[in-house]
Each structure stands twice: as structure tokens, then as C-alpha cells.
Amino acid sequence: MTEQLSPREGFADTETGPPPTAPARRGPESAAERQRTCAACGSGFEPGQPTGLEVLVDGEVRYVAVHRGHSTHAAARERQAASRLRAMRPEAHDAAA
């Protein structure tokens, strides 16, 4: 009569337990968690601190985190964009003021 052998028998270095599991996946990190510093001033973000998000175009579109009230855009460029918007829609700007 032939003896039935287990496929794992005779291999001392083979694990017999369940296969390892991958660590639990966390949700996606925010831009502030990935960066850890403000794109405008370079200082760190405090946990729970509200942040802003700006679009940065440098060959591709990226989103960067900034402290509230900070901007990576030059002030003169911001004023120019605001004046162009007012010129295009003066009635909408007057109603908002």
C-alpha cells in the first residue's frame, strides 16, 4: 500500500499559517499632509489648521496647500486678474459690493 504524504511534509522552512496580509489602507492624504509646509511661506502646518488650495501650473497642473490668506501668485498679477474680471462683468461686481 502506498503512503499518502502531505505536500508540505518534509519542508521545515515552509510556513503553514495563512499568507501575510497587506496593511490596512488609509484614505488619501490631503495636500497639506503630503507637503507639510506652506507653498507660499515655507512654514509648517499645524494639525487641524485650516488651509487653502491653489493651482500651480509648471508644465503640468498641480495643487499646492497654503495657509489661509497666503498666495503663491504675485499680488500685481492678482490685482490685474481682478480688474479684468470687474471689466468683463461690472454689474455682477457692483451687486456683490
Side-chain angles (χ1 to χ4, degrees), residues 1 3-5 8 16 20-21 25-26 28 30 32 38 51 55 57 59 66 76 82 85 87 90 93 95 97:
M1 183 181 261
E3 188 179 342
Q4 292 285 9
L5 298 176
R8 296 191 184 271
T16 58
T21 58
R25 295 184 115 198
R26 289 183 32 190
S30 70
C38 176
T51 59
V55 175
V57 180
V66 293
L85 288 173
H93 177 69

Side-chain angles (χ1 to χ4, degrees), residues 19-76:
T21 58
R25 295 184 115 198
R26 289 183 32 190
E29 292 182 323
S30 70
E33 289 172 334
R34 285 191 311 271
Q35 281 177 227
R36 291 189 224 104
T37 59
C38 176
C41 72
S43 64
F45 293 114
E46 298 295 323
Q49 179 183 24
T51 59
L53 196 63
E54 285 191 348
V55 175
L56 176 71
V57 180
D58 62 346
E60 59 184 81
V61 178
R62 301 170 195 248
Y63 294 92
V64 294
V66 293
H67 288 114
R68 287 273 168 102
H70 289 191
S71 178
T72 58
H73 304 292

Side-chain angles (χ1 to χ4, degrees), residues 81-94:
S83 67
R84 284 183 182 171
L85 288 173
R86 281 193 292 275
M88 289 190 305
R89 296 180 142 186
E91 67 282 347
H93 177 69
D94 294 337

